[in-house]
Amino acid sequence: MLELLSLLSFGENGWGDDIARGALVTIELALATLPVGLAIGLAAALAKNSNSAILRAAGNLYTTVFRGLPELLTLFIVYYGGQMLLTRIAGMLVEGATIEVNQFVAGVTALGLVLGAFSSEVFYAAIRSVPRGQTEAAGALGLAKWQVFRLVVFPQLWRVALPGLSNNWLVLLKDTSLVSVIAITDLMRQTSIAVGVTKQPFFFYLVACLIYLVFSMLSSVVFSRAEARASRGLKRVGGKA
């Protein structure tokens, strides 16, 4: 057992520093993807709730496509397809020009599109939960549409959407493991390298499992506090808010 634990030591003789760097990349990737996915999801939800038939169709098409595609396929399309598209555009401007897509940016983009598709459903349901009478009353008071959304709708939809968004975040944490296929040195890739060198798959994959579980537990604590903060000021009467 001590021999196995020594494999996690830091320095040239251990893999502890490599696993730690991979875990850091995983968290950086997830945190970079979160605002991208939430912004896309909120925009798609607003489009689906719009009075414009074109915007509603576009929002529904987006969510249908990226909720239906496997995450790994989305990652390949963004990474390889995006590289081909940008190279072709660059070739039109400068003959012979090529563009290489950064793996981290491709990972953030692909995972952001997937997160946005699932988050749009959460946001859409939350928007629909806000009573129409409140928005009509706010408009009657002379507030512009963006003010109605910022002051009346968003604070309420955020509280309703948080539980669903917390689930999406946990899914995102797990989906970050997919980026190892495009050579991002995240936790999963560093673990796979360690397994290949040491021939200790059970030990290192168990360590990776524990790290992902720690991330999930810490995330649950953060989101629980966020939900409590978003619900502050609500009084419960007879068990109901």
Side-chain angles (χ1 to χ4, degrees):
M1 185 63 182
L2 291 177
E3 182 180 352
L4 287 176
L5 291 177
S6 67
L7 293 174
L8 293 178
S9 62
F10 288 77
E12 295 182 358
N13 298 323
W15 292 89
D17 48 351
D18 300 288
I19 298 296
R21 282 196 298 269
L24 180 60
V25 171
T26 292
I27 287 297
E28 290 175 344
L29 181 64
L31 290 176
T33 302
L34 183 62
V36 175
L38 292 183
I40 294 174
L42 182 57
L46 292 174
K48 291 194 290 185
N49 195 54
S50 171
N51 293 326
S52 170
I54 296 177
L55 288 178
R56 289 199 305 272
N60 287 321
L61 177 62
Y62 161 71
T63 54
T64 299
V65 169
F66 286 101
R67 289 176 67 203
L69 288 177
E71 288 84 348
L72 186 59
L73 182 57
T74 301
L75 181 62
F76 284 148
I77 290 174
V78 170
Y79 182 58
Y80 295 109
Q83 193 160 272
M84 291 173 59
L85 177 62
L86 291 176
T87 297
R88 179 165 295 185
I89 293 174
M92 293 178 181
L93 301 175
V94 180
E95 186 175 355
T98 59
I99 293 180
E100 292 188 8
V101 175
N102 178 272
Q103 292 100 323
F104 191 89
V105 173
V108 169
T109 302
L111 294 177
L113 288 170
V114 175
L115 176 63
F118 284 94
S119 297
S120 69
E121 294 296 301
V122 177
F123 280 129
Y124 179 70
I127 291 173
R128 303 290 289 184
S129 71
V130 178
R132 181 177 293 272
Q134 293 189 16
T135 58
E136 292 176 349
L141 291 174
L143 295 179
K145 287 186 177 181
W146 69 271
Q147 291 177 313
V148 173
F149 178 78
R150 182 174 66 86
L151 299 175
V152 178
V153 178
F154 186 77
Q156 297 184 73
L157 78 84
W158 181 247
R159 175 173 58 84
V160 175
L162 267 176
L165 295 178
S166 68
N167 290 334
N168 289 350
W169 163 257
L170 294 177
V171 173
L172 171 64
L173 272 177
K174 293 183 292 183
D175 284 347
T176 55
S177 61
L178 298 174
V179 301
S180 60
V181 300
I182 57 173
I184 295 180
T185 53
D186 69 321
L187 174 59
M188 200 64 205
R189 181 169 177 80
Q190 293 286 27
T191 300
S192 298
I193 294 173
V195 168
V197 174
T198 63
K199 310 303 180 186
Q200 294 289 345
F202 181 79
F203 175 71
F204 279 104
Y205 286 132
L206 178 61
V207 169
C209 287
L210 293 176
I211 293 175
Y212 279 114
L213 285 175
V214 169
F215 287 163
S216 297
M217 288 187 291
L218 291 176
S219 299
S220 296
V221 171
V222 171
F223 272 97
S224 294
R225 293 186 177 182
E227 290 176 31
R229 181 175 177 81
S231 300
R232 68 189 187 282
L234 294 177
K235 294 183 179 179
R236 294 186 174 272
V237 180
K240 295 181 179 180

